Amino acid sequence: MTFGFAPPSTTSLSTATGGASRHGRLLEPSEWTSSGVPLLRNPREVVSGLHSRHSPAPSTAVIAVLGPEERLVASASFVPRSASADGWEYRNALLAGLRRIIPHDLRRRTPVRTAVLLYCRDGDERWTEEDGAWMWGLRDACTLHGLRCGAYITLTRGGWQVLGEGRGGRRPSSDSRPERLGRATAEFAPIALHTGGGAPEALRRAAAR
């Protein structure tokens, strides 16, 4: 099976020069595939739904939380401050997004919800150090928010790719127009979150960019 990872010589010059990766904390492809990330049953449906809701442009990250049956519970999109950030900075950005849209599940013994990350970027579908940093950040953010770490998906001009699974498609892509959401998935009920003062705050489950 081909996972679509670029060979080390094309992903990082630091290996040849002996220098450190500019992204610092990251997961190599072998580490990601061996970490037990659950497979998406219908990745195209997940990708199409997130693309329709957030219309991500290159350098946009979409963090989504899935419940049972891969039902979308919450999602939010944002543009990271720096493309050269390492996994720790990406972790903090993802964790901040999760805290805005859904309460944590740290009191549960076993995670019941799964977080997936869709990252729209330039280039092709092959793994890069930037992808490795996002993977590290996603895994750590999920641990700190009591969620199961799910798939990492890239969206490029060539289409979408679930890294580590070898599954992908041409549509949607970073250049394609979002499809219209079906009536059954267009609206979400609000989630009751609590602010620092303890007052409930109703937020939409699908957060705008």
Side-chain angles (χ1 to χ4, degrees):
M1 180 181 294
T2 301
F3 291 150
F5 299 132
S9 60
T10 63
T11 59
S12 173
L13 295 177
S14 62
T15 303
T17 61
S21 165
R22 69 188 181 93
H23 288 287
R25 301 168 182 85
L26 57 81
L27 291 179
E28 295 287 344
S30 59
E31 294 176 296
W32 180 256
T33 55
S34 64
S35 61
V37 175
L39 301 179
L40 289 171
R41 287 181 298 177
N42 194 335
R44 188 186 186 282
E45 183 176 307
V46 172
V47 174
S48 296
L50 296 179
H51 183 257
S52 296
R53 286 181 173 83
H54 298 278
S55 304
S59 299
T60 301
V62 181
I63 182 70
V65 179
L66 306 179
E69 307 300 324
E70 288 189 1
R71 177 179 176 272
L72 181 62
V73 177
S75 65
S77 58
F78 63 92
V79 177
R81 295 180 180 180
S82 172
S84 62
D86 70 5
W88 185 82
E89 293 183 53
Y90 288 157
R91 185 277 308 272
N92 290 345
L94 292 170
L95 193 57
L98 288 170
R99 287 170 174 167
R100 287 197 304 269
I101 62 174
I102 196 167
H104 67 74
D105 280 346
L106 295 174
R107 292 184 179 87
R108 295 182 179 272
R109 292 184 179 181
T110 304
V112 297
R113 296 184 287 197
T114 303
V116 300
L117 177 61
L118 172 71
Y119 183 55
C120 182
R121 62 167 173 76
D122 294 320
D124 59 29
E125 74 280 2
R126 294 180 298 175
W127 182 89
T128 66
E129 285 191 347
E130 184 182 16
D131 294 326
W134 278 114
M135 289 170 168
W136 191 97
L138 175 63
R139 187 182 66 175
D140 216 42
C142 289
T143 299
L144 294 175
H145 208 65
L147 301 172
R148 181 187 296 110
C149 180
Y152 173 72
I153 308 161
T154 58
L155 188 69
T156 63
R157 288 185 178 181
W160 57 273
Q161 179 84 3
V162 184
L163 294 191
E165 294 186 17
R167 295 190 290 173
R170 294 183 178 180
R171 295 186 63 85
S173 70
S174 59
D175 289 337
S176 62
R177 297 183 61 181
E179 297 178 2
R180 186 174 182 179
L181 288 171
R183 185 175 180 181
T185 58
E187 295 295 332
F188 291 88
I191 291 179
L193 297 182
H194 291 274
T195 63
E201 179 185 1
L203 298 181
R204 290 182 59 84
R205 294 197 174 189
R209 218 176 345 168

